[in-house]
Amino acid sequence: MVSEDEIRKQICEIGKRMYDRNMVAANDGNISVKISDNEILCTPTGVSKGFLSPGDLCKVDTKGNVIQTNSGRMPSSEMKMHLRVYEERPDVKAVVHAHPVYATTFAVANIPLSQPIMPETVINFGCVPIAKYGRPSTMEIPDAVSEFVSYFDAVLLEKHGALTYSDSLEAAYMKMESVEFYAQLLYQSKLLGVPRELTPGQMEELYELRRQSGMQGRHPANLGEPADACRFHCANCGRKCEKGD
Ligand code: 13P
C-alpha cells in the first residue's frame, strides 16, 4: 500500500506537471486523493500548484470537515465539487480540476468535446460533456456536475475549466492531459475547415474495442446497446448534449 507521505509527494509532483504544462495559471486548479474511507488529502486554497510542499496539503473528511492543516492553510475552495465526485463514484480515488487553455476555451464557448475526430479520443472519452455554469466554490458546481459524474470520467465546467477523476492520481491527471489534447486537436482541425468525423459505424467499432479491452472507468460504450443507451451514447444521440437537451 502507498503511504500517506508518498501520496503527498505525488500530489505535489502532479501539481508541478499541471503548472509546467500551462494547465493552471497563478493559483488556479486543485487536486485531491482519497486515502481511506473517510480521509481525503487536498491542495490548499490560494496556492500555486507548481510550488507545493507535502506539508502544505490539507486533510478533510468526506463531509469536508478539516482533519488536519499546517501553517494556517485551508482546503481548496472547490472541495464541495471533489466531495460530490467521491460520493457518487465509490470507484474514484483521485480528482483533478484545472483550467487548460483549449479545454477551457470550449467550456467558455459552451461547446462540448463531442466530435468524433480521432480513434483515441473516442476510445478514451466517447465525448466530454459540459456541466452548466455555477459560481465557483458554491454547491452550484457539484449540483451541475452531478448530472454527468456517473456516466463520464471527464467533464467540462461551463465558463470555467475541466474536471477529471479516476482510480488513481496518475490516471486522473492523464485524463486531464488527454482532454486538453482532444480540445487542442478539435480547435486546430476546425481552423483548417470542418473536421472529418469518424462515422457512427466506426464509432461503434471503437466502442466495441473499448468494451473488449476491459478499460476501467465510465464511458458511453458501457451504457448498454445503442437502443437503450439514451442521450449519453454519442454514436447515436444526434448530439443532444450540444443542443442542451
Ligand atoms: P482553490 O485555490 O481554492 O483550489 O481554487 C482554485 C480554482 O481553480 C477555483 O476554480
Side-chain angles (χ1 to χ4, degrees):
M1 204 180 102
V2 187
S3 70
E4 180 179 327
D5 283 353
E6 199 49 46
I7 293 171
R8 284 177 179 265
K9 279 192 224 151
Q10 281 175 9
I11 293 175
C12 298
E13 282 164 20
I14 294 292
K16 181 158 172 25
R17 284 161 74 179
M18 288 203 315
Y19 186 76
D20 289 348
R21 286 185 68 104
N22 287 326
M23 292 178 155
V24 285
N27 297 334
D28 294 353
N30 24 75
I31 301 168
S32 70
V33 176
K34 192 170 183 186
I35 57 171
S36 74
D37 285 350
N38 196 34
E39 290 178 310
I40 295 162
L41 282 176
C42 67
T43 50
T45 187
V47 172
S48 170
K49 277 53 194 196
F51 302 92
L52 288 169
S53 303
D56 290 331
L57 303 180
C58 304
K59 199 188 287 184
V60 299
D61 67 16
T62 52
K63 302 277 177 249
N65 300 308
V66 176
I67 299 175
Q68 189 231 326
T69 62
N70 293 319
S71 323
R73 302 273 192 229
M74 289 305 288
S76 166
S77 58
E78 297 291 11
M79 277 312 288
K80 295 185 191 82
M81 170 175 72
H82 291 236
L83 295 175
R84 182 66 70 89
V85 177
Y86 292 120
E87 187 185 325
E88 299 196 358
R89 290 281 301 273
D91 59 311
V92 165
K93 297 287 179 272
V95 177
V96 173
H97 165 53
H99 304 163
V101 174
Y102 288 92
T104 306
T105 300
F106 278 85
V108 166
N110 204 15
I111 301 172
L113 304 176
S114 59
Q115 284 187 259
I117 51 170
M118 185 193 183
E120 279 77 2
T121 63
V122 171
I123 290 173
N124 281 337
F125 299 113
C127 83
V128 182
I130 301 187
K132 282 196 203 74
Y133 172 74
R135 285 172 296 164
S137 82
T138 70
M139 289 305 284
E140 291 169 6
I141 296 185
D143 288 349
V145 157
S146 176
E147 183 184 359
F148 300 109
V149 166
S150 300
Y151 305 101
F152 297 91
D153 291 344
V155 181
L156 298 183
L157 310 177
E158 186 181 352
K159 296 181 172 63
H160 184 162
L163 181 69
T164 56
Y165 31 92
S166 194
D167 55 359
S168 73
L169 178 54
E170 180 74 14
Y173 168 71
M174 287 298 187
K175 283 179 199 289
M176 187 61 77
E177 278 196 10
S178 297
V179 166
E180 178 62 349
F181 175 68
Y182 184 4
Q184 185 170 3
L185 203 61
L186 188 54
Y187 181 91
Q188 290 182 179
S189 57
K190 279 171 181 282
L191 288 184
L192 292 180
V194 180
R196 298 281 297 275
E197 295 185 1
L198 295 156
T199 65
Q202 287 170 325
M203 284 186 73
E204 275 303 335
E205 289 169 0
L206 295 168
Y207 278 19
E208 185 53 27
L209 275 183
R210 182 182 161 108
R211 283 192 285 268
Q212 283 171 8
S213 75
M215 281 171 77
Q216 300 296 310
R218 306 286 166 86
H219 184 285
N222 302 120
L223 286 175
E225 293 307 308
D228 29 275
C230 73
R231 54 184 293 220
F232 291 131
H233 194 294
C234 299
N236 70 344
C237 80
R239 299 258 168 74
K240 287 183 180 170
C241 58
E242 288 179 16
K243 294 172 194 145
D245 291 1

